[in-house]
Amino acid sequence: MKRRLVMCAVALSLALLQSAAGARPVKIGFGGGMSVPVSDAKDTFKNGFHGKAMVQWNAPALPLAFRGSLGYSQLDLKSLTPGVDGKGKIISGLANVSWGFPVGPVKPYIIAGVGAFNLKTDVGGTSGPSETKVGIDGGAGLEFKLGGIAAFVEGKLENIFTDQGLSGAVGSTSAFKTQIIPITFGIFF
């Protein structure tokens, strides 16, 4: 009886190790898409775009993944003065954890994390000062297996903890919530 339990435990351990080795636990990914300002930010900015580079580690035999990402977002300012253009730029570094629900070739997941966001505005060709703030994000996505690669689509809410957000460069003195929803399409390989 003991021998059978030991044999079963060894067989299960080998199966888990083999499946984890075949799944390549570390993946590199790239993505991009539309950035939608919400809350106070929607009064100041138009929709923009973003791009991200990511490294993800999938925990063996668990539905957890840990992701680090670097991103760049750009949003156009709504014109305050006719003929004056402006842009809001955000460079971010995030650490996220996701929980997947494997249900076949399509895997839904939820994701949340924390990171640093460097904010800068350019108005009329003049660069304003940049500042770095802490923020959090959270959302959901779908991952699709495509042979050796995985495609994904996800939406998250990024909440950057700011007093005046990107609006400091355009003269706002009131409290300002910098919240953006990036909708990302990308691949992991």
Side-chain angles (χ1 to χ4, degrees):
M1 183 68 170
K2 274 186 169 181
R3 185 176 179 159
R4 284 188 183 177
L5 285 174
V6 170
M7 295 291 279
C8 286
V10 168
L12 181 62
S13 297
L14 288 174
L16 287 174
L17 287 174
Q18 185 178 5
S19 70
R24 288 189 330 210
V26 176
K27 297 178 182 180
I28 296 173
F30 299 96
M34 183 169 62
S35 295
V36 180
V38 293
S39 189
D40 295 337
K42 74 178 177 191
D43 296 332
T44 305
F45 298 102
K46 299 176 186 175
N47 290 347
F49 67 90
H50 69 275
K52 295 179 185 263
M54 300 156 279
V55 174
Q56 181 168 293
W57 179 75
N58 295 316
L62 292 174
L64 285 175
F66 299 92
R67 182 192 298 178
S69 65
L70 296 174
Y72 174 80
S73 299
Q74 182 173 302
L75 301 114
D76 288 336
L77 286 168
K78 290 184 176 177
S79 184
L80 300 175
T81 307
V84 177
D85 293 338
K87 298 183 184 318
K89 299 176 183 179
I90 304 170
I91 297 174
S92 61
L94 295 164
N96 290 99
V97 62
S98 67
W99 184 274
F101 305 98
V103 291
V106 177
K107 180 175 94 173
Y109 61 90
I110 55 173
I111 187 166
V114 64
F117 296 83
N118 181 272
L119 312 168
K120 184 176 185 178
T121 30
D122 295 335
V123 178
T126 304
S127 293
S130 69
E131 59 181 336
T132 301
K133 299 289 186 176
V134 174
I136 58 174
D137 70 349
L142 293 172
E143 184 177 300
F144 309 90
K145 298 291 183 190
L146 303 170
I149 64 172
F152 70 93
V153 58
E154 70 183 20
K156 299 194 292 186
L157 173 65
E158 293 179 342
N159 185 31
I160 306 167
F161 297 120
T162 57
D163 295 329
Q164 294 180 336
L166 293 170
S167 69
V170 292
S172 176
T173 57
S174 61
F176 185 91
K177 291 182 181 176
T178 304
Q179 295 179 332
I180 298 167
I181 297 176
I183 301 167
T184 307
F185 300 90
I187 59 169
F188 278 108
F189 52 99

